[in-house]
Amino acid sequence: MDVARRAGCSVQQIRNLERDGVLPPATRTAIGYRIYTEVHLQCALAYRELAVAAGPVEAKRIVRSVHTCPASTTVALLDAAHARLHTERAELALAKKAAAVISAEPIEDVRASDWIGVAELAAALGIRSSTLRHWDTEGLVIPDRNAPTGARRYSPSQVRDARIVHQLRKAGYRIAPLRAVMAQLRRARGSGDIDAALAIRDETLTTRSRALVDATAALARLLPPSDVSPRGTAPPPESRSRR
């Protein structure tokens, strides 16, 4: 199928996208073969790029809006997707600064009174105690345990780990890759692993942003032309009313 080949999808994916309303219904020949057009290709291309930029669920929602909603709705959904990426990029920049500062903080003169509990650390980070317990279960931040009670107790270095994890999670880092980063960090304390992790996140955001630009170009070919003239310009002569 030519549309599948040009869109970089399988034939079954194209049929699934039509079934899900991402592609408009194809016309059929007398013997039942589907006939796809340039509109179907642009929808498939837009979906493919949007799935990279915003995820498959949001990609379907945006492309379906082209067929079912006013153009202003589609444009607003694209604006929201751009805004989310901008927010993620801003949070990543903050995480880079915070992680660099936290990693460089010296930990000296550690005393028994410096250990803190789950509730105290959660309050300091502005998160729930259950989040810290989840990080422990996932191997992100592993506290010591109080011998008689088994209660979690965080040393200054473990508090620092928790602060780093908190910043990376805010920057959008997922649990599995973050687990590897923190394991490396504990083996060789330093900011190199964190910098590498954030650099990968930066590359991912750039890939998603470029995909969103490409998706916008594909969608622009599907939307009706704007009927709003630029400010200060007159409409073309043929559109003026005759007196």
Side-chain angles (χ1 to χ4, degrees), residues 39-138:
V39 169
H40 295 93
L41 173 62
Q42 294 304 320
C43 288
L45 289 172
Y47 170 77
R48 184 188 68 184
E49 299 300 332
L50 283 168
V52 174
V57 173
E58 187 64 13
K60 289 180 179 179
R61 180 186 178 203
I62 293 173
V63 182
R64 274 197 296 254
S65 73
V66 174
H67 315 310
T68 60
C69 303
S72 58
T73 299
T74 304
V75 172
L77 291 172
L78 286 171
D79 285 346
H82 281 286
R84 284 191 293 272
L85 278 171
H86 174 73
T87 298
E88 289 185 49
R89 198 173 291 282
E91 289 174 346
L92 177 61
L94 292 174
K96 286 180 178 179
K97 293 180 181 179
V101 170
I102 294 167
S103 298
E105 290 176 350
I107 296 178
E108 301 170 348
D109 254 355
V110 177
R111 296 165 292 182
S113 59
D114 293 330
W115 268 251
I116 62 175
V118 170
E120 188 177 355
L121 179 55
L125 295 176
I127 60 177
R128 296 180 178 180
S129 297
S130 58
T131 300
L132 285 171
R133 297 187 185 99
H134 178 61
W135 291 353
D136 182 8
T137 302
E138 293 290 346

Side-chain angles (χ1 to χ4, degrees), residues 26-237:
T27 57
R28 300 266 186 158
T29 66
I31 57 176
Y33 285 114
R34 293 176 173 87
I35 299 176
Y36 291 110
T37 66
E38 189 67 19
V39 169
H40 295 93
L41 173 62
Q42 294 304 320
C43 288
L45 289 172
Y47 170 77
R48 184 188 68 184
E49 299 300 332
L50 283 168
V52 174
V57 173
E58 187 64 13
K60 289 180 179 179
R61 180 186 178 203
I62 293 173
V63 182
R64 274 197 296 254
S65 73
V66 174
H67 315 310
T68 60
C69 303
S72 58
T73 299
T74 304
V75 172
L77 291 172
L78 286 171
D79 285 346
H82 281 286
R84 284 191 293 272
L85 278 171
H86 174 73
T87 298
E88 289 185 49
R89 198 173 291 282
E91 289 174 346
L92 177 61
L94 292 174
K96 286 180 178 179
K97 293 180 181 179
V101 170
I102 294 167
S103 298
E105 290 176 350
I107 296 178
E108 301 170 348
D109 254 355
V110 177
R111 296 165 292 182
S113 59
D114 293 330
W115 268 251
I116 62 175
V118 170
E120 188 177 355
L121 179 55
L125 295 176
I127 60 177
R128 296 180 178 180
S129 297
S130 58
T131 300
L132 285 171
R133 297 187 185 99
H134 178 61
W135 291 353
D136 182 8
T137 302
E138 293 290 346
L140 300 181
V141 183
I142 306 171
D144 295 331
R145 295 281 186 159
N146 183 288
T149 65
R152 293 173 173 84
R153 297 171 63 250
Y154 293 84
S155 69
S157 64
Q158 291 158 356
V159 169
R160 180 166 62 182
D161 287 351
R163 293 168 63 198
I164 291 171
V165 168
H166 183 46
Q167 290 300 323
L168 295 180
R169 288 291 286 161
K170 285 172 63 178
Y173 229 77
R174 296 184 181 275
I175 292 291
L178 187 50
R179 187 187 300 118
V181 169
M182 296 309 295
Q184 293 169 6
L185 187 64
R186 283 189 287 271
R187 285 196 296 269
R189 173 63 64 179
S191 61
D193 293 321
I194 300 172
D195 292 342
L198 291 171
I200 292 172
R201 178 65 178 165
D202 205 346
E203 291 174 6
T204 300
L205 282 175
T206 297
T207 298
R208 291 171 59 200
S209 294
R210 291 180 65 91
L212 187 54
V213 170
D214 291 340
T216 302
L219 288 173
R221 300 184 184 98
L222 300 170
L223 295 174
S226 173
D227 59 358
V228 179
S229 301
R231 182 173 295 179
T233 64

